[in-house]
Amino acid sequence: RVQRDGVPPSFDEMKEALDLRSKSGIHRLITALEERGFIRRLAHRARALEIVRLPESLGGEARHSFSPRVIDGDLSDAPRPANAQPVEVAHAFEVPLMGRIAAGVPIEAIAHVQHNVSVPSNMIRGAANHYALEVRGDSMIEAGINDGDVVIIRETSVADNGDIVVALIEDQEATLKRFYRRGNAIALEAANPAYETRLF
């Protein structure tokens, strides 16, 4: 819009272009771009965004040149930390990766084993069945669950308010959300303000 009309887009236009449900996500993006030195906001003016520099991927200049250095050394004689266990002794469980789970808009439930993932034994609680799912979407980012993460799920038939659950919707679609009881309804709440709470 700046190149075409010489005017930055409004927050509503940015929200629509990025297919977001609210302007709060745009506010966070603008703040992040400003903090990183890509744009500058001009106070007390509408549509007052000035592009300061472009990212390298769009032809901008690199601000910091980073070149890794390898430090040579021989750690074979280094003392072992007091509580360290050899890798062979560390206990891990093989947990089946059952497919993908939506952290956003529900996706069709997938219930077939793709392969197994190793999980440290201290992450597995009790004798319940556990399985892994790969996360697709960004609705749980404020809970630290990002697109592409693998989550470990403990199978149970009960959930407490505030638990993060895999919810099966109409026996067809599965989604990862926080669970709350609200009267006679069940609320599935995202950990991202761009997504609305769904009531069932």
Side-chain angles (χ1 to χ4, degrees):
R1 175 91 197 248
V2 173
Q3 291 175 339
R4 188 183 73 215
D5 301 329
V7 178
S10 69
F11 278 51
D12 283 322
E13 290 169 336
M14 288 185 263
K15 179 187 78 141
E16 288 179 24
L18 294 174
D19 197 27
L20 296 176
R21 294 181 182 169
S22 75
K23 288 189 274 189
S24 64
I26 297 298
H27 285 281
R28 285 196 308 271
L29 288 170
I30 294 294
T31 300
L33 289 170
E34 186 177 31
E35 288 173 354
R36 288 166 179 79
F38 291 106
I39 64 170
R40 181 180 311 127
R41 284 192 251 199
L42 306 173
H44 310 297
R45 292 177 53 196
R47 297 180 182 234
L49 298 176
E50 177 185 9
I51 298 173
V52 176
R53 69 181 179 92
L54 293 174
E56 289 178 59
S57 62
L58 295 176
E61 293 182 21
R63 288 183 106 183
H64 305 287
S65 58
F66 173 77
S67 58
R69 291 180 299 154
V70 176
I71 300 171
D72 293 323
D74 182 16
L75 298 178
S76 60
D77 296 332
R80 178 184 287 202
N83 295 329
Q85 295 181 354
V87 174
E88 316 77 64
V89 176
H91 297 286
F93 289 104
E94 291 290 312
V95 175
L97 180 68
M98 301 295 284
R100 293 189 174 107
I101 183 74
V105 179
I107 58 174
E108 187 177 328
I110 300 172
H112 65 277
V113 177
Q114 293 182 338
H115 62 276
N116 289 330
V117 293
S118 294
V119 179
S121 59
N122 61 351
M123 288 181 66
I124 304 293
R125 293 190 314 192
N129 288 333
H130 291 77
Y131 56 93
L133 292 168
E134 183 181 353
V135 174
R136 284 284 168 245
D138 64 353
S139 73
M140 297 302 290
I141 57 174
E142 290 186 5
I145 301 171
N146 297 305
D147 186 34
D149 285 354
V150 174
V151 293
I152 306 301
I153 306 297
R154 179 175 46 93
E155 192 173 322
T156 180
S157 58
V158 295
D160 294 324
N161 278 338
D163 284 353
I164 296 176
V165 302
V166 172
L168 188 60
I169 301 169
E170 297 174 359
D171 291 325
Q172 294 180 358
E173 298 175 327
T175 187
L176 189 69
K177 295 286 184 287
R178 282 203 189 275
F179 170 90
Y180 292 98
R181 283 186 186 86
R182 294 196 180 152
N184 292 332
I186 302 260
L188 298 178
E189 186 175 288
N192 180 339
Y195 293 86
E196 295 178 5
T197 298
R198 297 180 67 190
L199 294 173
F200 297 91

